[in-house]
Coordinates of all heavy atoms in Angstrom, one line a residue:
L1 N 2.0 8.1 -0.3 CA 3.3 8.1 0.4 C 4.3 7.2 -0.2 O 3.9 6.1 -0.4 CB 3.0 7.9 1.9 CG 4.2 8.1 2.9 CD1 4.4 9.6 3.0 CD2 3.6 7.7 4.3
D2 N 5.5 7.7 -0.3 CA 6.5 6.9 -0.9 C 6.6 5.6 0.0 O 6.6 5.7 1.2 CB 7.9 7.8 -0.7 CG 9.1 6.9 -1.1 OD1 9.5 6.9 -2.2 OD2 9.6 6.4 -0.1
P3 N 7.0 4.5 -0.6 CA 7.0 3.2 0.3 C 8.0 3.2 1.4 O 7.8 2.7 2.5 CB 7.3 2.1 -0.8 CG 7.0 2.6 -2.1 CD 7.0 4.3 -2.0
A4 N 9.3 3.8 1.1 CA 10.3 4.0 2.1 C 9.8 4.7 3.2 O 9.9 4.4 4.5 CB 11.6 4.4 1.6
L5 N 9.1 5.9 3.0 CA 8.5 6.7 4.1 C 7.4 6.1 4.8 O 7.3 6.3 5.9 CB 8.1 8.1 3.5 CG 9.2 9.0 3.0 CD1 8.6 10.3 2.4 CD2 10.1 9.3 4.2
A6 N 6.6 5.3 4.1 CA 5.5 4.6 4.7 C 6.1 3.4 5.6 O 5.5 3.3 6.8 CB 4.7 3.8 3.7
A7 N 7.1 2.9 5.3 CA 7.8 1.9 6.3 C 8.3 2.7 7.5 O 8.2 2.2 8.6 CB 8.8 1.2 5.6
G8 N 8.9 3.8 7.2 CA 9.5 4.6 8.3 C 8.4 5.1 9.3 O 8.4 5.0 10.5
K9 N 7.2 5.3 8.7 CA 6.0 5.8 9.5 C 5.7 4.6 10.4 O 5.2 4.7 11.6 CB 4.9 6.4 8.7 CG 3.7 6.8 9.6 CD 2.7 7.5 9.0 CE 1.7 8.2 9.8 NZ 1.2 7.4 10.9
A10 N 5.6 3.4 9.9 CA 5.1 2.3 10.6 C 6.2 2.0 11.8 O 5.6 1.7 13.0 CB 5.1 0.9 9.7
V11 N 7.3 2.3 11.5 CA 8.4 2.1 12.8 C 8.0 3.2 13.8 O 8.0 3.0 15.1 CB 9.8 2.2 12.3 CG1 10.8 2.3 13.4 CG2 10.1 1.0 11.4
Y12 N 7.9 4.3 13.2 CA 7.5 5.5 14.1 C 6.3 5.4 15.0 O 6.3 5.5 16.2 CB 7.3 6.8 13.3 CG 6.8 7.9 14.1 CD1 7.5 8.9 14.7 CD2 5.5 8.1 14.3 CE1 7.1 10.0 15.5 CE2 4.9 9.1 15.1 CZ 5.7 10.1 15.7 OH 5.2 10.9 16.6
D13 N 5.2 4.7 14.3 CA 3.9 4.6 15.1 C 4.2 3.6 16.1 O 3.6 3.6 17.2 CB 2.9 4.0 14.1 CG 2.4 5.2 13.2 OD1 2.5 6.4 13.7 OD2 1.7 4.8 12.2
M14 N 5.1 2.5 15.9 CA 5.3 1.5 16.9 C 6.1 1.8 18.1 O 5.9 1.4 19.2 CB 5.8 0.3 16.1 CG 5.9 -1.1 17.0 SD 6.5 -2.5 15.9 CE 8.2 -1.7 15.6
S15 N 7.2 2.6 17.7 CA 8.3 2.8 18.7 C 8.6 4.2 19.1 O 9.3 4.5 20.1 CB 9.5 2.2 18.2 OG 9.3 0.9 17.9
C16 N 8.0 5.2 18.3 CA 8.4 6.6 18.5 C 7.3 7.5 19.0 O 7.4 8.4 19.7 CB 9.1 7.1 17.4 SG 10.3 6.1 16.5
G17 N 6.1 7.1 18.5 CA 4.9 8.1 18.7 C 4.5 8.2 20.0 O 4.0 9.3 20.4
A18 N 4.8 7.2 21.0 CA 4.3 7.3 22.4 C 4.9 8.6 23.0 O 4.3 9.2 23.8 CB 4.7 6.1 23.2
C19 N 6.2 9.0 22.7 CA 6.7 10.2 23.0 C 6.5 11.3 22.2 O 6.1 12.5 22.5 CB 8.2 10.1 23.4 SG 8.7 9.0 24.7
H20 N 6.7 11.0 20.9 CA 6.8 12.2 19.9 C 5.4 12.8 19.5 O 5.2 13.9 19.2 CB 7.5 11.9 18.7 CG 9.0 11.9 18.8 ND1 9.8 12.9 18.6 CD2 9.9 10.9 19.4 CE1 11.1 12.7 19.0 NE2 11.2 11.6 19.5
D21 N 4.3 11.9 19.5 CA 3.0 12.3 19.2 C 2.6 13.5 20.1 O 1.9 14.5 19.6 CB 2.0 11.2 19.2 CG 1.9 10.3 17.9 OD1 2.6 10.6 17.1 OD2 1.4 9.3 18.1
A22 N 2.7 13.3 21.3 CA 2.4 14.3 22.3 C 3.3 15.4 22.7 O 3.2 16.2 23.5 CB 1.7 13.6 23.6
G23 N 4.6 15.2 22.1 CA 5.8 16.1 22.6 C 6.1 15.8 23.9 O 6.5 16.7 24.8
M24 N 6.0 14.5 24.4 CA 6.3 14.3 25.7 C 7.8 14.5 26.2 O 8.6 14.1 25.5 CB 5.9 12.7 26.2 CG 5.8 12.4 27.5 SD 5.7 10.5 27.6 CE 4.1 10.3 27.1
M25 N 7.9 15.2 27.3 CA 9.2 15.5 27.9 C 10.1 16.2 26.9 O 11.3 16.0 26.8 CB 10.0 14.2 28.4 CG 9.2 13.6 29.6 SD 9.9 12.0 30.1 CE 9.8 11.0 28.6
G26 N 9.5 17.0 26.0 CA 10.3 17.8 25.1 C 10.6 17.2 23.8 O 11.2 17.7 22.9
A27 N 10.0 16.0 23.5 CA 10.2 15.3 22.3 C 9.5 16.1 21.1 O 8.3 16.5 21.2 CB 9.6 13.9 22.3
P28 N 10.2 16.5 20.0 CA 9.7 17.3 19.0 C 8.5 16.5 18.1 O 8.7 15.3 17.8 CB 10.9 17.5 18.0 CG 11.8 16.5 18.4 CD 11.7 16.1 19.7
K29 N 7.4 17.2 18.0 CA 6.3 16.5 17.3 C 6.4 16.6 15.8 O 6.8 17.6 15.2 CB 5.0 17.3 17.7 CG 4.6 17.3 19.1 CD 3.1 17.9 19.1 CE 2.8 18.4 20.5 NZ 1.5 18.9 20.7
P30 N 5.9 15.5 15.2 CA 5.9 15.5 13.7 C 5.1 16.8 13.3 O 4.0 17.0 13.8 CB 5.2 14.2 13.3 CG 5.5 13.4 14.5 CD 5.5 14.2 15.7
G31 N 5.4 17.4 12.2 CA 4.7 18.5 11.7 C 5.1 20.0 12.4 O 4.6 21.0 11.8
D32 N 5.7 20.0 13.4 CA 6.1 21.1 14.3 C 7.3 21.7 13.7 O 8.5 21.4 14.1 CB 6.2 20.8 15.7 CG 6.4 22.1 16.5 OD1 6.8 23.1 16.0 OD2 6.3 22.0 17.8
K33 N 7.1 22.8 12.7 CA 8.3 23.2 11.9 C 9.3 23.9 12.9 O 10.5 23.7 12.6 CB 7.7 24.2 10.8 CG 7.1 23.4 9.8 CD 6.9 24.2 8.5 CE 6.0 23.4 7.5 NZ 6.1 23.6 6.2
A34 N 8.8 24.6 13.9 CA 9.6 25.5 14.6 C 10.6 24.5 15.5 O 11.8 24.7 15.7 CB 8.9 26.3 15.7
A35 N 9.9 23.4 15.9 CA 10.7 22.4 16.7 C 11.8 21.6 15.9 O 12.7 21.2 16.4 CB 9.7 21.4 17.4
W36 N 11.5 21.6 14.6 CA 12.4 20.7 13.8 C 13.5 21.5 13.0 O 14.4 20.9 12.5 CB 11.5 19.9 12.9 CG 10.9 18.7 13.6 CD1 9.6 18.6 14.0 CD2 11.5 17.3 13.9 NE1 9.5 17.2 14.6 CE2 10.8 16.6 14.6 CE3 12.9 17.0 13.7 CZ2 10.9 15.3 15.0 CZ3 13.2 15.6 14.1 CH2 12.3 14.9 14.7
A37 N 13.2 22.8 12.8 CA 14.2 23.5 11.9 C 15.6 23.3 12.3 O 16.3 22.9 11.4 CB 13.8 25.0 12.0
D38 N 16.0 23.7 13.4 CA 17.5 23.5 13.7 C 17.9 22.0 13.8 O 19.1 21.7 13.4 CB 17.7 24.1 15.1 CG 17.7 25.5 15.2 OD1 17.5 26.2 14.0 OD2 17.6 26.1 16.3
R39 N 16.9 21.1 14.0 CA 17.4 19.7 14.0 C 17.5 19.1 12.5 O 18.6 18.5 12.4 CB 16.2 18.9 14.7 CG 15.9 19.3 16.1 CD 14.7 18.4 16.8 NE 14.3 19.0 18.0 CZ 14.9 18.9 19.1 NH1 16.0 18.1 19.2 NH2 14.5 19.4 20.2
V40 N 16.6 19.5 11.7 CA 16.8 19.0 10.2 C 18.0 19.6 9.7 O 18.7 19.1 8.8 CB 15.4 19.5 9.5 CG1 15.6 19.2 8.0 CG2 14.2 18.7 10.0
A41 N 18.2 20.9 10.1 CA 19.4 21.4 9.6 C 20.8 20.8 9.8 O 21.8 21.0 9.0 CB 19.6 22.9 10.1
Q42 N 20.8 19.9 10.8 CA 22.0 19.0 11.0 C 22.2 18.0 10.0 O 23.3 17.6 9.8 CB 21.8 18.2 12.3 CG 21.6 19.0 13.5 CD 21.2 18.0 14.7 OE1 22.0 17.8 15.6 NE2 20.0 17.6 14.7
G43 N 21.2 17.7 9.2 CA 21.1 16.6 8.3 C 20.5 15.2 8.8 O 20.7 15.1 10.0
L44 N 20.0 14.5 7.9 CA 19.4 13.2 8.3 C 20.4 12.3 9.0 O 20.0 11.6 9.9 CB 18.8 12.5 7.1 CG 17.4 12.9 6.6 CD1 17.0 11.9 5.5 CD2 16.5 12.7 7.8
D45 N 21.6 12.3 8.4 CA 22.5 11.2 9.0 C 22.9 11.5 10.5 O 23.0 10.5 11.2 CB 24.0 11.3 8.1 CG 23.7 10.6 6.8 OD1 22.6 10.0 6.5 OD2 24.7 10.9 5.9
V46 N 23.2 12.9 10.7 CA 23.5 13.2 12.1 C 22.2 12.9 13.0 O 22.4 12.3 14.1 CB 23.8 14.6 12.1 CG1 23.9 15.1 13.7 CG2 25.1 14.9 11.4
M47 N 21.0 13.3 12.6 CA 19.8 13.1 13.4 C 19.7 11.5 13.6 O 19.3 11.1 14.7 CB 18.6 13.6 12.7 CG 18.4 15.1 12.9 SD 16.7 15.6 12.5 CE 16.5 15.2 10.8
T48 N 19.9 10.8 12.6 CA 19.8 9.3 12.6 C 20.7 8.7 13.6 O 20.4 7.9 14.6 CB 19.9 8.6 11.3 OG1 18.9 9.1 10.4 CG2 19.8 7.1 11.5
Q49 N 22.0 9.1 13.5 CA 23.0 8.5 14.4 C 22.7 8.9 15.9 O 22.8 8.1 16.8 CB 24.4 9.1 14.2 CG 25.5 8.2 14.7 CD 25.5 6.7 14.3 OE1 25.3 6.5 13.1 NE2 25.4 5.9 15.3
K50 N 22.2 10.2 16.2 CA 21.7 10.6 17.5 C 20.7 9.7 18.0 O 20.5 9.4 19.2 CB 21.4 12.1 17.5 CG 22.9 12.9 17.4 CD 22.5 14.3 17.1 CE 22.0 15.1 18.3 NZ 21.6 16.4 17.9
S51 N 19.7 9.5 17.1 CA 18.6 8.5 17.5 C 19.0 7.2 17.8 O 18.3 6.5 18.6 CB 17.5 8.6 16.4 OG 17.1 10.0 16.2
I52 N 20.0 6.7 17.0 CA 20.5 5.3 17.3 C 21.2 5.2 18.6 O 21.0 4.2 19.5 CB 21.4 4.9 16.2 CG1 20.6 4.7 14.8 CG2 22.1 3.6 16.5 CD1 21.4 4.6 13.6
D53 N 22.1 6.2 18.9 CA 22.9 6.2 20.1 C 22.1 6.7 21.3 O 22.5 6.4 22.5 CB 24.2 7.1 20.0 CG 25.1 6.6 18.8 OD1 25.0 5.4 18.5 OD2 25.9 7.3 18.3
G54 N 21.2 7.5 21.0 CA 20.5 8.3 22.2 C 21.4 9.6 22.6 O 22.5 9.6 22.3
F55 N 20.7 10.5 23.1 CA 21.3 11.8 23.5 C 20.4 12.6 24.4 O 19.3 12.3 24.4 CB 21.8 12.6 22.3 CG 20.6 13.3 21.6 CD1 20.4 14.7 21.8 CD2 19.6 12.7 20.8 CE1 19.3 15.4 21.3 CE2 18.7 13.3 20.2 CZ 18.4 14.6 20.4
T56 N 21.1 13.4 25.2 CA 20.4 14.4 26.0 C 20.7 15.8 25.5 O 21.9 16.1 25.3 CB 20.8 14.2 27.4 OG1 20.6 13.0 27.9 CG2 20.0 15.3 28.3
G57 N 19.6 16.5 25.2 CA 19.7 17.8 24.6 C 19.1 18.8 25.4 O 18.8 18.5 26.6
A58 N 18.7 20.2 25.1 CA 18.3 21.1 25.8 C 16.8 20.8 26.1 O 16.2 21.2 27.1 CB 18.4 22.4 25.0
A59 N 16.1 20.0 25.3 CA 14.6 19.7 25.5 C 14.5 18.6 26.3 O 13.4 18.4 27.1 CB 14.0 19.5 24.2
G60 N 15.4 17.5 26.5 CA 15.2 16.5 27.2 C 16.0 15.2 26.8 O 17.1 15.5 26.1
M61 N 15.6 14.0 27.1 CA 16.5 12.9 26.8 C 15.9 12.0 25.7 O 14.6 11.5 25.9 CB 16.6 12.1 28.0 CG 17.7 11.0 28.0 SD 17.4 9.5 27.4 CE 16.3 8.8 28.9
M62 N 16.5 11.8 24.7 CA 16.0 10.9 23.6 C 16.7 9.5 23.8 O 18.0 9.4 23.8 CB 16.4 11.4 22.4 CG 16.4 10.5 21.1 SD 14.8 10.0 20.6 CE 15.2 8.4 19.8
P63 N 16.1 8.4 24.2 CA 16.7 7.1 24.6 C 17.3 6.5 23.2 O 16.6 6.7 22.2 CB 15.6 6.3 25.2 CG 14.2 6.9 24.8 CD 14.6 8.4 24.5
A64 N 18.2 5.6 23.3 CA 18.8 5.0 22.1 C 17.8 4.2 21.5 O 17.1 3.4 22.2 CB 19.9 4.1 22.6
K65 N 17.5 4.4 20.2 CA 16.5 3.6 19.4 C 15.2 3.7 20.1 O 14.3 2.8 20.0 CB 16.9 2.1 19.3 CG 18.2 1.9 18.4 CD 18.4 0.5 18.0 CE 19.6 0.5 16.9 NZ 19.9 -0.9 16.5
G66 N 14.9 4.7 20.9 CA 13.6 5.0 21.4 C 13.3 3.9 22.5 O 12.2 3.8 22.9
G67 N 14.4 3.3 23.0 CA 14.3 2.2 23.9 C 14.0 0.9 23.3 O 13.7 -0.2 24.1
N68 N 13.7 0.8 22.0 CA 13.4 -0.6 21.3 C 14.7 -1.1 20.6 O 14.9 -0.7 19.3 CB 12.4 -0.3 20.3 CG 12.0 -1.7 19.6 OD1 12.5 -2.7 19.9 ND2 10.8 -1.6 18.9
M69 N 15.6 -1.8 21.3 CA 16.9 -2.1 20.8 C 16.7 -3.3 19.7 O 17.6 -3.6 19.1 CB 17.8 -2.6 21.8 CG 18.2 -1.5 22.9 SD 18.7 0.1 22.1 CE 20.3 -0.4 21.7
D70 N 15.4 -3.7 19.5 CA 15.2 -4.8 18.4 C 15.4 -4.0 17.0 O 15.4 -4.8 16.1 CB 14.0 -5.4 18.5 CG 13.9 -6.3 19.7 OD1 15.1 -6.7 20.2 OD2 12.9 -6.8 20.3
L71 N 15.2 -2.8 17.0 CA 15.1 -2.0 15.8 C 16.5 -2.0 15.1 O 17.6 -1.8 15.8 CB 14.8 -0.5 16.0 CG 13.3 -0.2 16.3 CD1 13.0 1.3 16.6 CD2 12.2 -0.8 15.5
T72 N 16.6 -2.1 13.8 CA 17.8 -2.0 13.1 C 18.2 -0.6 12.9 O 17.2 0.3 13.1 CB 17.8 -2.7 11.8 OG1 16.9 -2.0 11.0 CG2 17.4 -4.2 11.8
D73 N 19.4 -0.2 12.6 CA 19.7 1.1 12.3 C 19.0 1.6 11.2 O 18.6 2.9 11.2 CB 21.3 1.2 12.0 CG 22.2 0.9 13.1 OD1 21.7 0.7 14.3 OD2 23.4 0.9 13.0
E74 N 18.7 0.9 10.1 CA 18.0 1.3 9.0 C 16.6 1.6 9.3 O 15.9 2.5 8.8 CB 17.9 0.2 8.0 CG 19.4 -0.1 7.2 CD 20.4 -0.6 8.1 OE1 20.0 -1.4 9.1 OE2 21.6 -0.4 7.9
E75 N 16.0 0.9 10.3 CA 14.5 1.1 10.7 C 14.4 2.5 11.4 O 13.6 3.3 11.2 CB 14.0 0.0 11.6 CG 13.7 -1.2 10.8 CD 13.3 -2.5 11.7 OE1 14.0 -2.6 12.7 OE2 12.4 -3.3 11.2
V76 N 15.4 2.7 12.3 CA 15.5 4.0 13.0 C 15.7 5.2 11.8 O 15.0 6.1 12.0 CB 16.7 4.0 14.0 CG1 16.8 5.5 14.6 CG2 16.5 3.0 15.0
G77 N 16.5 4.9 11.0 CA 16.8 5.8 9.9 C 15.6 6.3 9.1 O 15.2 7.3 8.8
G78 N 14.7 5.2 8.8 CA 13.6 5.4 8.1 C 12.4 6.1 8.9 O 11.8 6.9 8.4
A79 N 12.4 6.0 10.2 CA 11.5 6.6 11.0 C 11.9 8.1 11.1 O 11.1 9.0 11.1 CB 11.4 6.1 12.5
V80 N 13.2 8.3 11.2 CA 13.7 9.7 11.2 C 13.4 10.5 9.9 O 12.9 11.6 9.9 CB 15.2 9.8 11.5 CG1 15.8 11.2 11.3 CG2 15.5 9.2 12.9
A81 N 13.6 9.7 8.8 CA 13.3 10.3 7.5 C 11.8 10.6 7.4 O 11.5 11.8 6.8 CB 13.7 9.4 6.4
W82 N 11.0 9.7 7.9 CA 9.5 10.2 7.9 C 9.2 11.3 8.7 O 8.5 12.2 8.3 CB 8.6 8.9 8.4 CG 7.2 9.4 8.3 CD1 6.4 9.5 7.4 CD2 6.5 9.9 9.6 NE1 5.3 10.2 7.7 CE2 5.2 10.3 9.1 CE3 6.8 10.0 10.9 CZ2 4.4 10.8 10.0 CZ3 5.9 10.4 11.8 CH2 4.6 10.9 11.3
M83 N 9.8 11.4 10.0 CA 9.6 12.5 10.8 C 10.1 13.9 10.1 O 9.4 14.9 10.1 CB 10.4 12.4 12.1 CG 9.9 11.2 13.0 SD 11.0 10.7 14.3 CE 10.4 11.6 15.7
A84 N 11.2 13.8 9.5 CA 11.7 15.0 8.8 C 10.8 15.4 7.6 O 10.6 16.6 7.4 CB 13.1 14.8 8.2
S85 N 10.2 14.4 6.9 CA 9.3 14.6 5.9 C 8.1 15.4 6.3 O 7.4 15.9 5.4 CB 8.9 13.4 5.1 OG 8.0 12.7 5.8
T86 N 7.7 15.4 7.5 CA 6.5 16.0 8.0 C 6.6 17.5 8.0 O 5.7 18.3 8.3 CB 6.1 15.5 9.4 OG1 7.0 15.9 10.4 CG2 5.7 14.0 9.4
V87 N 7.9 18.1 8.0 CA 8.1 19.5 8.1 C 8.8 20.1 6.9 O 9.4 21.1 6.9 CB 9.1 19.9 9.4 CG1 8.1 19.6 10.6 CG2 10.3 19.0 9.4
E88 N 8.7 19.3 5.8 CA 9.3 19.7 4.6 C 8.5 20.9 4.1 O 7.2 20.9 4.2 CB 9.5 18.5 3.5 CG 10.7 17.8 3.6 CD 10.7 16.6 2.6 OE1 9.7 16.3 1.9 OE2 11.7 15.8 2.8
Ligands
HEB1 FE1 13.0 10.7 20.0 C1 14.5 13.8 19.8 C2 13.8 10.3 16.6 C3 11.7 7.6 20.2 C4 12.1 11.3 23.2 N1 13.9 11.9 18.5 C5 14.5 13.1 18.7 C6 15.1 13.5 17.3 C7 14.8 12.5 16.5 C8 14.2 11.5 17.2 C9 15.2 12.5 15.1 C10 15.8 14.8 17.1 C11 17.3 14.6 17.1 C12 18.1 15.8 17.0 O1 17.7 17.0 17.4 O2 19.2 15.6 16.5 N2 12.6 9.3 18.6 C13 13.1 9.2 17.3 C14 12.8 8.0 16.7 C15 12.2 7.2 17.8 C16 12.1 8.0 18.9 C17 13.1 7.7 15.3 C18 11.7 5.8 17.7 C19 12.8 4.8 17.4 N3 12.1 9.7 21.6 C20 11.6 8.5 21.4 C21 11.0 8.0 22.6 C22 11.1 8.9 23.6 C23 11.7 10.1 22.7 C24 10.4 6.6 22.7 C25 10.7 9.2 24.9 C26 10.8 8.1 25.8 N4 13.2 12.4 21.3 C27 12.8 12.3 22.5 C28 13.1 13.6 23.2 C29 13.9 14.3 22.1 C30 13.8 13.5 21.1 C31 12.8 14.1 24.6 C32 14.5 15.9 22.4 C33 15.8 15.7 22.9 C34 16.4 17.1 23.0 O3 16.6 17.7 24.1 O4 16.8 17.7 21.9

């Protein structure tokens, strides 16, 4: 795994997996191509900004930075990049 993606996965495991691993409350699971297709189509920058700010979509509520406000924007971006890499 590319080192940047590995760092993103570490952030994911710590702060995102609690919801996204199990698809809790509509959270798209890593590797679920159907759940990610329209999301990835927005582009990484849009997905990252929405993950930093938080948003409510058709599936449910994504909290700002997954509720971990200690994460930097770059760390959130790395986690999003790893998630997107699972459906490439
Ligand atoms: Fe989340 C969604 C990321 C955490 C829940 N997310 C999402 C997305 C992304 C993410 C990228 C997609 C977006 C779009 O579509 O644009 N997350 C993430 C990250 C993290 C997280 C990176 C760590 C920081 N989440 C989380 C948590 C939770 C969640 C913790 C729970 C609480 N999400 C979610 C949901 C969703 C999401 C529910 C879906 C929403 C809608 O509706 O769409």
Side-chain angles (χ1 to χ4, degrees):
L1 193 61
D2 172 88
L5 288 179
K9 182 174 191 305
V11 173
Y12 171 87
D13 286 342
M14 189 177 62
S15 298
C16 318
C19 290
H20 283 267
D21 278 348
M24 196 185 288
M25 298 175 301
K29 292 189 202 181
D32 182 345
K33 291 192 184 207
W36 282 99
D38 289 351
R39 302 179 191 279
V40 169
Q42 303 172 102
L44 272 186
D45 289 350
V46 172
M47 283 200 296
T48 296
Q49 196 59 51
K50 287 164 76 180
S51 302
I52 291 166
D53 296 338
F55 73 101
T56 300
M61 199 272 289
M62 162 72 203
K65 295 188 173 181
N68 183 357
M69 296 312 282
D70 291 341
L71 293 177
T72 65
D73 291 358
E74 289 70 26
E75 286 172 321
V76 176
V80 173
W82 176 76
M83 292 164 96
S85 78
T86 67
V87 291
E88 267 169 10

